[in-house]
């Protein structure tokens, strides 16, 4: 009998002993990579992480399929690309590409595979981005000498597999693993295959819809930031302040309405009209939303009244602006911005006592408003209440407001106190 037949069969005990001897070494590398990812991946919604060292049984089965001769004839560890695996689970589809790019900035990327990209809609395999990265020097164990004394050498072509998925992609992958991969079962009858394909399609569609809603929210927020900045700029000009505390993005992308005819759609149209200076259209749409009596009206109406008030304010229609800010606060007593805007109108009208009352209400709801302290300080100054003004200036400075107008007011107050001395 040919002895080569026996030498070509991998000895499971030998392979197991070798693999287990490397377990702590691989585990420490994986933990270091895991820590590096957690410390450096930056997303609006931070992802969750899973990490694992491949079990020996899974390792051995894969070795038999992929590298039987090498395993049989080598005394060294036979490496696989997925011995160390880290999964990054993101909230939104857009996060997947952002994480992939950030991984590329941190590691030497050896290979990228997009699982499921080539599947048709009739198939039900999971989707995931798999990135193979080389091991950077700062991720090797700090005490390499002790490992070398045990005969542990760094294997050739050692990599770590990083999987990037959304929450729903990960949920599907876990279920599919239990139903199909783990049991080595592939459904043959068409009804069952269709059910699985339908479930996968539903989860994929949900991911797409979540992303569309996220895109809509981001663009709406950009429009609202631009509208708020315009309001503050006008208020600063009218009250002779030059605040730099409000920042916004430039070159805002204008959006097509997300769902036509909804309140969200109408609000986005109104804010866009407001931002481009078409205040008549903006006020008309805000009024249509108010007259439709949206539910729950206490929250929604509060927002719409506030937006319409800002449009009236931009038109120099202070009575209507003041009325809308008051209605907004009545609808939502937690709306510190509505009563703050009311105070701004009173300041412009030189009604500084009323302005102080409004700014104080706003700070009672949210005490961490540097700009509100600043505007109340201006009102106190106009009322010759210099000590109160100085206290508010100090509060605004403690909250990080670094503003030319605030500095000028501080200097004026110092001069007033020096005159009293």
């Amino acid at each position: 009998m040919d002895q080569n037949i026996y030498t070509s069969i991998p000895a499971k005990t030998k392979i197991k002993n070798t693999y287990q001897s490397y377990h702590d070494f691989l585990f420490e590398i994986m933990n270091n990579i895991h820590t590096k990812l957690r410390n450096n991946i930056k997303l609006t919604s931070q992802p969750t992480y899973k990490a694992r060292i491949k079990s020996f049984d899974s390792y051995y089965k894969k070795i038999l399929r992929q590298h039987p001769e090498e395993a049989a004839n080598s005394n060294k560890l036979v490496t696989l690309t997925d011995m160390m695996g880290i999964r990054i689970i993101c909230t939104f589809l857009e996060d997947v590409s952002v994480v992939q790019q950030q991984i590329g900035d941190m590691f030497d990327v050896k290979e990228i595979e997009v699982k499921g990209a080539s599947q048709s809609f009739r198939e039900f395999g999971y989707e995931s981005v798999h990135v193979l990265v080389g091991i950077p020097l700062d991720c090797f164990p700090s005490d390499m000498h002790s490992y070398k004394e045990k005969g542990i050498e760094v294997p050739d072509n050692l990599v770590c597999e990083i999987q990037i998925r959304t929450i729903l992609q990960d949920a599907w992958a876990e279920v599919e693993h239990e139903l199909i991969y783990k049991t080595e079962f592939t459904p043959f009858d068409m009804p069952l295959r269709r059910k699985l394909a339908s479930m996968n399609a539903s989860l994929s569609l949900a991911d797409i819809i979540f992303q569309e809603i996220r895109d809509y929210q981001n663009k709406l927020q950009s429009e609202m930031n631009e509208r708020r900045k315009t309001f503050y700029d006008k208020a600063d000009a009218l009250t002779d302040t030059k605040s730099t505390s409000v920042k916004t993005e430039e070159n805002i992308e204008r959006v097509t309405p997300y769902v036509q005819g909804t309140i969200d759609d109408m609000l986005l149209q109104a804010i866009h009209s407001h931002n481009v200076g078409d205040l008549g259209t903006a006020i008309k749409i805000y009024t249509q939303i108010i007259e439709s009596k949206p539910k729950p009206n206490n929250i929604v109406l509060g927002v719409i009244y506030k937006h319409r008030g800002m449009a009236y304010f931009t038109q120099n229609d202070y009575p209507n602006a003041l009325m809308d800010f008051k209605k907004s606060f009545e609808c939502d007593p937690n709306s510190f911005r509505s009563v703050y805007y009311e105070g701004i109108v009173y300041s412009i009208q030189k009604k500084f006592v009323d302005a102080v009352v409004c700014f104080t209400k706003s700070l009672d709801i949210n005490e961490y408003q540097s700009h509100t302290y600043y505007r109340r300080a201006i009102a106190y100054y106009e009322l010759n209440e210099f000590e109160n003004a100085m206290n508010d200036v100090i509060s605004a400075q403690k909250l990080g407001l670094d503003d030319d107008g605030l500095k000028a007011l501080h200097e004026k107050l110092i001069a007033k106190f020096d005159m009293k001395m």
Side-chain angles (χ1 to χ4, degrees):
M1 182 176 293
D2 189 350
Q3 290 296 114
N4 289 333
I5 294 177
Y6 297 103
T7 58
S8 65
I9 298 176
K12 184 175 183 179
T13 302
K14 183 189 76 171
I15 295 171
K16 184 174 184 179
N17 290 337
T18 302
Y19 189 66
Q20 288 181 337
S21 71
Y22 272 84
H23 182 275
D24 291 347
F25 175 75
L26 297 174
F27 189 81
E28 193 168 347
I29 291 174
M30 182 190 69
N31 272 347
N32 290 339
I33 294 175
H34 184 197
T35 300
K36 187 169 185 172
L37 288 167
R38 293 185 73 97
N39 290 340
N40 291 279
I41 295 295
K42 304 299 180 185
L43 296 173
T44 304
S45 301
Q46 284 304 303
T48 55
Y49 297 82
K50 297 178 183 179
R52 62 103 182 100
I53 298 293
K54 198 173 188 68
S55 70
F56 173 73
D57 288 339
S58 296
Y59 170 81
Y60 185 65
K61 288 179 182 179
K62 200 165 185 178
I63 285 290
L64 293 183
R65 292 197 308 271
Q66 296 185 358
H67 308 287
E69 292 185 7
E70 185 181 355
N73 299 313
S74 176
N75 292 320
K76 297 180 179 180
L77 179 71
V78 178
T79 59
L80 297 174
T81 58
D82 61 346
M83 292 190 303
M84 296 177 286
I86 299 174
R87 188 175 303 163
I88 304 176
I89 304 169
C90 308
T91 307
F92 299 103
L93 283 171
E94 68 177 352
D95 296 336
V96 173
S97 59
V98 173
V99 169
Q100 183 180 325
Q101 180 179 349
Q102 293 181 0
I103 289 173
D105 294 336
M106 281 186 277
F107 297 95
D108 176 19
V109 175
K110 304 295 185 182
E111 180 182 319
I112 298 175
E113 182 182 5
V114 182
K115 297 279 188 181
S118 61
Q119 293 173 166
S120 75
F121 68 92
R122 296 184 181 87
E123 297 176 290
F124 47 83
Y126 72 90
E127 294 183 23
S128 182
V129 176
H130 291 198
V131 183
L132 300 183
V133 300
I135 313 302
L137 291 176
D138 61 353
C139 289
F140 279 104
S142 56
D143 189 10
M144 282 294 298
H145 180 70
S146 64
Y147 281 108
K148 288 182 178 179
E149 287 182 339
K150 299 174 186 178
I152 303 298
E153 299 289 339
V154 178
D156 295 334
N157 303 318
L158 184 63
V159 295
C160 178
E161 182 183 72
I162 303 175
Q163 300 177 357
I164 316 169
R165 300 174 182 167
T166 65
I167 295 171
L168 296 182
Q169 288 171 345
D170 187 63
W172 171 254
E174 293 289 350
V175 173
E176 186 204 36
H177 185 77
E178 292 293 327
L179 288 179
I180 299 171
Y181 180 80
K182 196 171 180 179
T183 58
E184 298 181 352
F185 167 71
T186 300
F188 291 102
D189 68 283
M190 193 55 65
L192 185 53
R193 291 179 66 86
R194 284 174 176 162
K195 288 179 181 179
L196 289 169
S198 176
M199 282 300 301
N200 189 25
S202 296
L203 290 173
S204 296
L205 179 60
D207 253 340
I208 292 169
I209 292 173
F210 286 150
Q211 184 59 56
E212 286 181 347
I213 294 172
R214 183 66 165 184
D215 290 342
Y216 171 79
Q217 288 177 330
N218 288 339
K219 292 168 184 175
L220 177 59
Q221 188 61 50
S222 294
E223 294 278 6
M224 291 176 70
N225 287 342
E226 176 67 13
R227 187 259 309 128
R228 190 177 296 124
K229 179 180 182 298
T230 302
F231 177 87
Y232 287 147
D233 285 346
K234 182 177 176 63
D236 288 340
L238 290 170
T239 55
D240 195 29
T241 66
K242 298 183 182 299
S243 171
T244 57
S245 63
V246 182
K247 302 291 184 184
T248 187
E249 298 179 8
E250 296 180 357
N251 300 321
I252 292 173
E253 180 184 355
R254 307 302 178 186
V255 300
T256 300
Y258 177 60
V259 180
Q260 292 188 356
T262 63
I263 290 176
D264 288 326
D265 165 37
M266 294 173 70
L267 177 59
L268 186 55
Q269 289 183 49
I271 294 175
H272 175 68
S273 297
H274 191 153
N275 288 341
V276 298
D278 188 359
L279 297 172
T281 297
I283 290 171
K284 180 180 179 181
I285 297 173
Y286 290 138
T287 303
Q288 288 175 344
I289 298 173
I290 291 169
E291 291 176 348
S292 71
K293 297 180 180 179
K295 296 180 181 180
N297 58 11
N298 58 326
I299 300 299
V300 178
L301 278 176
V303 172
I304 306 305
Y305 275 124
K306 180 173 62 180
H307 290 329
R308 192 175 71 173
M310 295 171 81
Y312 280 133
F313 180 89
T314 306
Q315 286 187 324
N316 300 323
D317 186 348
Y318 301 132
N320 275 323
L322 194 60
M323 189 182 302
D324 274 358
F325 292 145
K326 287 179 180 292
K327 288 180 179 177
S328 176
F329 190 68
E330 289 173 6
C331 291
D332 182 7
N334 292 317
S335 180
F336 58 90
R337 283 201 178 95
S338 297
V339 71
Y340 168 57
Y341 296 160
E342 186 181 343
I344 290 176
V345 177
Y346 281 131
S347 292
I348 292 169
Q349 294 177 331
K350 308 298 183 183
K351 298 178 181 179
F352 296 111
V353 173
D354 292 328
V356 167
V357 170
C358 290
F359 293 142
T360 301
K361 284 182 182 178
S362 182
L363 289 168
D364 286 342
I365 300 168
N366 179 5
E367 62 181 319
Y368 302 108
Q369 300 180 77
S370 60
H371 206 82
T372 307
Y373 282 111
Y374 174 32
R375 290 194 179 278
R376 191 172 69 174
I378 295 172
Y380 277 136
Y381 183 87
E382 296 293 340
L383 293 169
N384 296 323
E385 297 184 26
F386 302 127
E387 186 174 345
N388 285 333
M390 180 61 87
N391 289 335
D392 277 354
V393 166
I394 293 171
S395 295
Q397 290 172 336
K398 284 182 177 179
L399 289 172
L401 184 60
D402 184 18
D403 185 281
D404 291 341
L406 181 66
K407 293 174 184 176
L409 179 59
H410 196 183
E411 291 172 2
K412 288 181 181 179
L413 287 167
I414 292 173
K416 290 287 184 182
F417 286 123
D418 284 344
M419 291 171 63
K420 288 183 178 183
M421 294 295 290

